[in-house]
Amino acid sequence: MKSYTVKIESIYHVTPDVLRIVVNKPLWFDFEPGRATEISINKDAWLKEKRPFTMTSLPENNFLEFMIKTYPERKGVTNELLHLKKDDELILHDVFGAIAYKGEGVFIAGGAGVTPFISILRDLKVKDKIGKNMLLFANKTKADILLEKEFENLLGTAFVNILSDEQVDGYSFGRITEEFLKENIENFNQQFYLCGPPPMMKEMEETLKNLGVNTDLITKETY
Ligand SMILES: Cc1cc2nc3c(=O)[nH]c(=O)nc-3n(C[C@H](O)[C@H](O)[C@H](O)COP(=O)(O)OP(=O)(O)OC[C@H]3O[C@@H](n4cnc5c(N)ncnc54)[C@H](O)[C@@H]3O)c2cc1C
């Protein structure tokens, strides 16, 4: 198994729960947009604790970017990341992951589950291939929406937000239901990309199947 020691170039909150961490990109660290690596913290007590995180930067960038939701109450790796600062070190491992772009379709994300779609959509933009791709993004509150401005710029009206815990003018309210999907999606015979917490993933897959989506068209990762 490969491992790469990298230095934190910057680390700060982009939403109340999510840290943006930028590290130097090791030579030979190649990946396809949507892929992840296992990360551990280069401190004696934390070396063996590896957790999967997705690269949100583009393969051609000379840095690696991660967007990481922190869970202080679990006292695990993401809590420890909250105590790190510039020049502290992380260890990256092999690249893996279920999500890669397979063609135009609908990206459905819950919270930090949007991370594999960040690199994919940025990559499509660079290649001028955003086309009719759309992103349905479920969050608790407006403050939790990761990269809202950037997604607006990338996708325009094909970026649709839904909030479960806050009613805000111009934003859908509630959960992603069959009705919500029917209101927002014209074609159910295209690619569907799902990423989010386990209950949401289970529900989304069942709902899409009820709407006639062929399972071969569903690409998913559970966070
Ligand atoms: C392929 C892949 C890519 C991913 N990419 C990203 C990404 O880019 N950004 C991102 O934010 N996340 C991502 N995730 C999710 C991320 O890996 C987890 O959030 C992370 O591993 C949590 O690590 P942790 O050590 O803080 O907590 P954990 O290892 O989840 O938990 C530590 C301990 O807390 C307890 N615990 C676990 N779950 C709960 C719970 N629900 N409630 C209470 N206690 C609990 C358990 O005792 C556990 O041992 C990805 C996941 C996968 C599979």
Side-chain angles (χ1 to χ4, degrees):
M1 204 214 307
K2 289 182 209 138
S3 71
Y4 309 85
T5 303
V6 294
K7 227 171 223 205
I8 295 179
E9 293 177 356
S10 70
I11 179 165
Y12 58 86
H13 276 96
V14 282
T15 74
D17 295 333
V18 177
L19 284 174
R20 175 180 188 261
I21 301 181
V22 172
V23 300
N24 62 292
K25 183 175 167 199
L27 217 59
W28 313 121
F29 189 93
D30 290 327
F31 65 95
E32 231 186 303
R35 300 295 194 208
T37 183
E38 283 195 309
I39 295 185
S40 49
I41 295 170
N42 197 10
K43 286 185 186 173
D44 284 348
W46 289 95
L47 281 175
K48 288 194 182 139
E49 300 292 333
K50 297 180 206 152
R51 298 291 187 276
F53 298 104
T54 308
M55 283 67 74
T56 52
S57 43
L58 291 171
E60 63 267 30
N61 291 152
N62 62 359
F63 58 87
L64 296 173
E65 179 194 68
F66 297 90
M67 301 276 182
I68 297 183
K69 181 167 178 187
T70 57
Y71 300 92
E73 70 286 0
R74 296 189 197 173
K75 304 282 175 245
V77 171
T78 63
N79 177 54
E80 198 56 26
L81 290 173
L82 286 166
H83 304 296
L84 298 188
K85 52 189 188 323
K86 187 176 178 317
D87 294 333
D88 282 340
E89 289 178 346
L90 302 177
I91 300 174
L92 314 184
H93 300 87
D94 290 330
V95 171
F96 70 101
I99 295 191
Y101 188 62
K102 296 178 180 169
E104 250 178 47
V106 182
F107 293 81
I108 304 178
V114 78
T115 55
F117 308 153
I118 297 174
S119 182
I120 289 175
L121 292 169
R122 284 175 171 172
D123 183 55
L124 291 172
K125 181 71 175 177
V126 168
K127 294 176 173 155
D128 204 13
K129 287 189 172 162
I130 282 284
K132 289 186 175 163
N133 282 297
M134 73 180 299
L135 171 63
L136 306 183
F137 195 8
N139 282 283
K140 287 186 178 149
T141 70
K142 182 167 160 43
D144 295 314
I145 304 173
L146 202 55
L147 303 182
E148 184 174 10
K149 280 277 160 286
E150 181 172 345
F151 285 131
E152 267 170 25
N153 290 335
L154 285 174
L155 295 160
T157 54
F159 173 43
V160 179
N161 285 286
I162 180 161
L163 305 175
S164 61
D165 292 13
E166 187 185 33
Q167 297 208 37
V168 180
D169 281 349
Y171 293 75
S172 295
F173 175 66
R175 294 160 67 83
I176 301 184
T177 58
E178 204 167 307
E179 286 62 44
F180 178 82
L181 294 178
K182 281 198 273 193
E183 273 165 28
N184 286 285
I185 302 168
E186 282 173 16
N187 172 13
F188 287 93
N189 185 22
Q190 57 178 329
Q191 296 292 335
F192 283 83
Y193 303 90
L194 311 179
C195 192
M200 174 183 172
M201 294 292 290
K202 197 165 170 275
E203 215 175 299
M204 279 304 92
E205 232 186 313
E206 274 165 27
T207 311
L208 288 175
K209 282 182 203 161
N210 287 342
L211 288 165
V213 177
N214 189 321
T215 44
D216 292 348
L217 292 175
I218 301 177
T219 303
K220 56 183 174 147
E221 185 102 76
T222 303
Y223 271 25

